[in-house]
Amino acid sequence: MKNIILKSFALALPLSLGLAFIGVAQRNRTTSSAKMAPTLLSALPPSDAVAIINVSRVFSEVLPKLLAENPTKLADINNELAKFKTQTGLDPRSFDQVALGLSYKYPREGITKISTIALARGSFNAGAMVAAGRLAANGQYNEEKYQSKTIYVFTIDRQMRLFGLWDMKVRDLAAVALDGNTLALGNLDAVRGVIDANRTRKHANPELLALASGDPNAIIGFGGNISPLLLENLSLSNDSIARELTAVRQVYGTLGMTSTDLELMVAARTVDTYSAKNLGDTVEGLKQLGGLFINRLAAAKGTLARSAMNNLKITTLGNELQIRTTVAQSQVAPLMRGY
């Protein structure tokens, strides 16, 4: 089933570090970088979906912990990070946070195209980092003056591990320094859009920003609007599920980690309480059917899926359906070996 929300964030996360979906939510403290989340999100242009990721903790806590028993893979990631810095001049380890804005376009029936803008903020000089990118590009870039800003469009046109983590084909990457320690990255139109948004103060929907930053301690939080047109472009083989999803208007969630577990929360806001209850009943039914397929999974995947299923909690609150589950970090670590 081609779930557009999962697809959207799957396309966005490469811009914000492929493994950022493995989050950390340390509920006993609120970090200074977590408090910055609404500020960075509020710099995004109007978007259909937004996400905020605490990148620094992904590198400093999550990857070392989950790859503790696989030092070879951890060393490989560190090498790829160094290579990415050499190729682009961008040092992912200097990023504290990345905010994502996703916009959907529908060029023709059944087709949804996603435009993504990424804002990176951290302990770096944005102008110096762009200059380093120019040197790394070895002349393969263009400059464009736009609204008193200079946009650099780097011609990469090759397969690379974006941010050292995610294999993808990168053709052109536009970058601009929004302020002293904030970079905007994306295609040229998206970068122009974020410059316009900050000049006119026309930003992303405040309600989406609130949904994405509801847990100030989460490593990743997201929120998105679901329009009828977006749902029409889905190819859903199950008519019953398709009908239930037409009542969904927004989704949001967080991903986090305690000292021992990984935690996931996903919520769907529907048009009314009746729709939320029906959607909850459908999810409960899928939960029961899911047990039939777990035994077909390989050992490590089966253990993880069984734990997630056993800990799954489905709650309906008014017109909102919330799904929560928890799995042990020790159950996730074996799957990292094949990453």
Side-chain angles (χ1 to χ4, degrees):
M1 181 177 68
K2 299 179 180 178
N3 185 303
I4 192 64
I5 301 305
L6 295 178
K7 180 179 178 182
S8 300
F9 282 98
L11 292 173
L13 289 181
L15 289 173
S16 63
L17 307 166
L19 286 185
F21 69 87
I22 302 173
V24 178
Q26 305 240 347
R27 303 196 180 279
N28 292 330
R29 60 190 178 99
T30 300
T31 64
S32 58
S33 61
K35 293 179 181 178
M36 293 164 53
T39 302
L40 187 57
L41 280 171
S42 64
L44 289 171
S47 305
D48 294 303
V50 299
I52 185 74
I53 301 163
N54 191 322
V55 175
S56 63
R57 291 173 67 191
V58 171
F59 287 121
S60 65
E61 299 177 42
V62 179
L63 290 178
K65 196 164 189 177
L66 292 181
L67 293 174
E69 297 181 4
N70 192 350
T72 301
K73 180 60 65 176
L74 185 58
D76 179 58
I77 289 176
N78 288 330
N79 289 336
E80 291 294 340
L81 287 171
K83 186 185 297 183
F84 182 79
K85 181 179 178 181
T86 300
Q87 291 173 331
T88 67
L90 304 176
D91 182 5
R93 292 190 180 279
S94 66
F95 295 170
D96 291 331
Q97 291 183 321
V98 169
L100 301 172
L102 285 74
S103 298
Y104 305 133
K105 295 181 179 179
Y106 313 97
R108 59 184 182 274
E109 185 178 354
I111 300 297
T112 300
K113 289 193 174 181
I114 303 167
S115 175
T116 303
I117 185 70
L119 303 183
R121 175 173 291 169
S123 56
F124 56 81
N125 181 289
M129 187 168 282
V130 170
R134 291 163 54 195
L135 292 175
N138 194 27
Q140 298 298 307
Y141 69 92
N142 295 314
E143 295 184 21
E144 176 184 303
K145 295 291 185 181
Y146 187 77
Q147 304 290 359
S148 76
K149 296 286 188 181
T150 301
I151 302 173
Y152 298 91
V153 183
F154 301 99
T155 302
I156 298 174
D157 198 22
R158 63 177 179 270
Q159 193 80 16
M160 66 185 302
R161 300 202 80 182
L162 194 60
F163 290 161
L165 293 171
W166 195 289
D167 286 312
M168 68 177 297
K169 178 75 172 182
V170 179
R171 178 172 176 79
D172 295 319
L173 180 65
V176 67
L178 291 181
D179 58 39
N181 65 341
T182 305
L183 284 174
L185 304 167
N187 62 44
L188 182 57
D189 287 341
V191 169
R192 288 173 180 160
V194 78
I195 293 174
D196 288 338
N198 284 274
R199 180 178 61 87
T200 62
R201 299 187 182 279
K202 185 178 180 181
H203 296 294
N205 183 341
E207 186 177 7
L208 287 187
L209 305 189
L211 292 176
S213 57
D215 182 351
N217 294 311
I219 280 283
I220 179 169
F222 65 89
N225 289 326
I226 308 297
S227 68
L229 183 56
L230 185 65
L231 290 170
E232 286 177 9
N233 280 356
L234 290 175
S235 298
L236 299 177
S237 58
N238 188 301
D239 291 338
S240 177
I241 294 177
R243 286 194 300 271
E244 299 297 345
L245 289 179
T246 59
V248 177
R249 291 294 175 264
Q250 290 179 318
V251 296
Y252 69 96
T254 59
L255 208 43
M257 181 191 286
T258 66
S259 59
T260 58
D261 300 326
L262 293 174
E263 300 177 333
L264 170 68
M265 188 282 286
V266 177
R269 288 185 172 176
T270 64
V271 294
D272 52 37
T273 57
Y274 177 78
S275 299
K277 182 181 182 304
N278 282 348
L279 183 59
D281 291 341
T282 299
V283 175
E284 286 282 3
L286 292 174
K287 176 182 177 181
Q288 300 300 320
L289 290 175
L292 300 176
F293 299 97
I294 290 178
N295 291 334
R296 301 179 184 179
L297 298 176
K301 292 182 180 179
T303 299
L304 180 64
R306 192 172 296 104
S307 177
M309 187 72 70
N310 290 339
N311 294 327
L312 193 66
K313 296 181 179 179
I314 303 167
T315 306
T316 302
L317 299 172
N319 68 330
E320 185 170 298
L321 174 69
Q322 294 185 358
I323 303 172
R324 299 176 185 270
T325 192
T326 301
V327 295
Q329 295 170 30
S330 59
Q331 295 171 332
V332 177
L335 299 181
M336 301 294 291
R337 294 169 186 163
Y339 167 73

